[in-house]
PDB file of all heavy atoms in Angstrom:
ATOM      1  N   THR I 171      66.845 130.640  71.883  1.00  0.00           N
ATOM      2  CA  THR I 171      66.495 129.393  72.503  1.00  0.00           C
ATOM      3  C   THR I 171      64.998 129.373  72.759  1.00  0.00           C
ATOM      4  O   THR I 171      64.330 130.387  72.575  1.00  0.00           O
ATOM      5  CB  THR I 171      67.258 129.192  73.876  1.00  0.00           C
ATOM      6  OG1 THR I 171      66.918 130.277  74.752  1.00  0.00           O
ATOM      7  CG2 THR I 171      68.755 129.178  73.658  1.00  0.00           C
ATOM      8  N   ARG I 172      64.471 128.212  73.165  1.00  0.00           N
ATOM      9  CA  ARG I 172      63.064 128.137  73.479  1.00  0.00           C
ATOM     10  C   ARG I 172      62.868 127.219  74.678  1.00  0.00           C
ATOM     11  O   ARG I 172      63.748 126.439  74.998  1.00  0.00           O
ATOM     12  CB  ARG I 172      62.267 127.662  72.269  1.00  0.00           C
ATOM     13  CG  ARG I 172      62.661 126.319  71.713  1.00  0.00           C
ATOM     14  CD  ARG I 172      61.818 125.935  70.538  1.00  0.00           C
ATOM     15  NE  ARG I 172      60.443 126.152  70.859  1.00  0.00           N
ATOM     16  CZ  ARG I 172      59.483 126.386  69.940  1.00  0.00           C
ATOM     17  NH1 ARG I 172      59.818 126.365  68.697  1.00  0.00           N
ATOM     18  NH2 ARG I 172      58.270 126.589  70.292  1.00  0.00           N
ATOM     19  N   LEU I 173      61.741 127.340  75.301  1.00  0.00           N
ATOM     20  CA  LEU I 173      61.427 126.476  76.434  1.00  0.00           C
ATOM     21  C   LEU I 173      61.393 125.015  76.015  1.00  0.00           C
ATOM     22  O   LEU I 173      60.935 124.696  74.914  1.00  0.00           O
ATOM     23  CB  LEU I 173      60.062 126.866  77.038  1.00  0.00           C
ATOM     24  CG  LEU I 173      59.918 128.228  77.695  1.00  0.00           C
ATOM     25  CD1 LEU I 173      58.533 128.329  78.315  1.00  0.00           C
ATOM     26  CD2 LEU I 173      60.957 128.437  78.733  1.00  0.00           C
ATOM     27  N   ALA I 174      61.871 124.152  76.908  1.00  0.00           N
ATOM     28  CA  ALA I 174      61.788 122.700  76.622  1.00  0.00           C
ATOM     29  C   ALA I 174      60.319 122.288  76.753  1.00  0.00           C
ATOM     30  O   ALA I 174      59.553 122.812  77.571  1.00  0.00           O
ATOM     31  CB  ALA I 174      62.659 121.926  77.610  1.00  0.00           C
ATOM     32  N   HIS I 175      59.961 121.310  75.962  1.00  0.00           N
ATOM     33  CA  HIS I 175      58.599 120.721  76.045  1.00  0.00           C
ATOM     34  C   HIS I 175      58.712 119.254  76.372  1.00  0.00           C
ATOM     35  O   HIS I 175      59.641 118.588  75.904  1.00  0.00           O
ATOM     36  CB  HIS I 175      57.843 120.907  74.706  1.00  0.00           C
ATOM     37  CG  HIS I 175      57.620 122.334  74.313  1.00  0.00           C
ATOM     38  ND1 HIS I 175      58.173 122.877  73.186  1.00  0.00           N
ATOM     39  CD2 HIS I 175      56.993 123.332  74.959  1.00  0.00           C
ATOM     40  CE1 HIS I 175      57.786 124.150  73.139  1.00  0.00           C
ATOM     41  NE2 HIS I 175      57.110 124.447  74.199  1.00  0.00           N
ATOM     42  N   GLY I 176      57.792 118.760  77.128  1.00  0.00           N
ATOM     43  CA  GLY I 176      57.822 117.311  77.396  1.00  0.00           C
ATOM     44  C   GLY I 176      57.206 116.935  78.699  1.00  0.00           C
ATOM     45  O   GLY I 176      56.182 117.523  79.104  1.00  0.00           O
ATOM     46  N   VAL I 177      57.836 115.971  79.403  1.00  0.00           N
ATOM     47  CA  VAL I 177      57.252 115.435  80.639  1.00  0.00           C
ATOM     48  C   VAL I 177      57.348 116.448  81.739  1.00  0.00           C
ATOM     49  O   VAL I 177      58.408 116.935  82.081  1.00  0.00           O
ATOM     50  CB  VAL I 177      58.049 114.152  81.031  1.00  0.00           C
ATOM     51  CG1 VAL I 177      57.438 113.562  82.327  1.00  0.00           C
ATOM     52  CG2 VAL I 177      57.996 113.135  79.917  1.00  0.00           C
ATOM     53  N   PRO I 178      56.184 116.781  82.355  1.00  0.00           N
ATOM     54  CA  PRO I 178      56.212 117.713  83.501  1.00  0.00           C
ATOM     55  C   PRO I 178      56.806 117.056  84.736  1.00  0.00           C
ATOM     56  O   PRO I 178      56.739 115.811  84.872  1.00  0.00           O
ATOM     57  CB  PRO I 178      54.737 118.055  83.670  1.00  0.00           C
ATOM     58  CG  PRO I 178      54.007 116.864  83.171  1.00  0.00           C
ATOM     59  CD  PRO I 178      54.831 116.315  82.033  1.00  0.00           C
ATOM     60  N   VAL I 179      57.312 117.868  85.636  1.00  0.00           N
ATOM     61  CA  VAL I 179      57.841 117.343  86.902  1.00  0.00           C
ATOM     62  C   VAL I 179      56.720 116.665  87.650  1.00  0.00           C
ATOM     63  O   VAL I 179      55.628 117.227  87.838  1.00  0.00           O
ATOM     64  CB  VAL I 179      58.427 118.490  87.745  1.00  0.00           C
ATOM     65  CG1 VAL I 179      58.872 117.955  89.095  1.00  0.00           C
ATOM     66  CG2 VAL I 179      59.625 119.115  87.027  1.00  0.00           C
ATOM     67  N   GLY I 180      56.957 115.432  88.040  1.00  0.00           N
ATOM     68  CA  GLY I 180      55.913 114.666  88.766  1.00  0.00           C
ATOM     69  C   GLY I 180      54.956 113.924  87.841  1.00  0.00           C
ATOM     70  O   GLY I 180      54.049 113.249  88.302  1.00  0.00           O
ATOM     71  N   GLY I 181      55.129 114.107  86.532  1.00  0.00           N
ATOM     72  CA  GLY I 181      54.220 113.461  85.556  1.00  0.00           C
ATOM     73  C   GLY I 181      54.523 111.988  85.369  1.00  0.00           C
ATOM     74  O   GLY I 181      55.630 111.551  85.516  1.00  0.00           O
ATOM     75  N   GLU I 182      53.467 111.208  85.085  1.00  0.00           N
ATOM     76  CA  GLU I 182      53.623 109.787  84.856  1.00  0.00           C
ATOM     77  C   GLU I 182      53.397 109.539  83.339  1.00  0.00           C
ATOM     78  O   GLU I 182      52.420 110.031  82.741  1.00  0.00           O
ATOM     79  CB  GLU I 182      52.603 109.006  85.662  1.00  0.00           C
ATOM     80  CG  GLU I 182      52.837 109.146  87.171  1.00  0.00           C
ATOM     81  CD  GLU I 182      51.857 108.296  88.001  1.00  0.00           C
ATOM     82  OE1 GLU I 182      51.431 107.250  87.504  1.00  0.00           O
ATOM     83  OE2 GLU I 182      51.524 108.746  89.099  1.00  0.00           O
ATOM     84  N   LEU I 183      54.313 108.783  82.750  1.00  0.00           N
ATOM     85  CA  LEU I 183      54.278 108.549  81.311  1.00  0.00           C
ATOM     86  C   LEU I 183      52.946 107.993  80.841  1.00  0.00           C
ATOM     87  O   LEU I 183      52.473 108.344  79.731  1.00  0.00           O
ATOM     88  CB  LEU I 183      55.419 107.602  80.897  1.00  0.00           C
ATOM     89  CG  LEU I 183      56.833 108.102  81.152  1.00  0.00           C
ATOM     90  CD1 LEU I 183      57.859 107.101  80.606  1.00  0.00           C
ATOM     91  CD2 LEU I 183      57.088 109.444  80.511  1.00  0.00           C
ATOM     92  N   ASP I 184      52.368 107.120  81.619  1.00  0.00           N
ATOM     93  CA  ASP I 184      51.116 106.461  81.214  1.00  0.00           C
ATOM     94  C   ASP I 184      49.971 107.442  80.986  1.00  0.00           C
ATOM     95  O   ASP I 184      49.043 107.145  80.235  1.00  0.00           O
ATOM     96  CB  ASP I 184      50.719 105.438  82.289  1.00  0.00           C
ATOM     97  CG  ASP I 184      49.573 104.566  81.870  1.00  0.00           C
ATOM     98  OD1 ASP I 184      49.531 104.196  80.654  1.00  0.00           O
ATOM     99  OD2 ASP I 184      48.705 104.252  82.697  1.00  0.00           O
TER     100      ASP I 184
END
Side-chain angles (χ1 to χ4, degrees):
T171 59
R172 59 180 313 155
L173 294 184
H175 297 119
V177 180
V179 175
E182 296 182 31
L183 298 183
D184 188 38

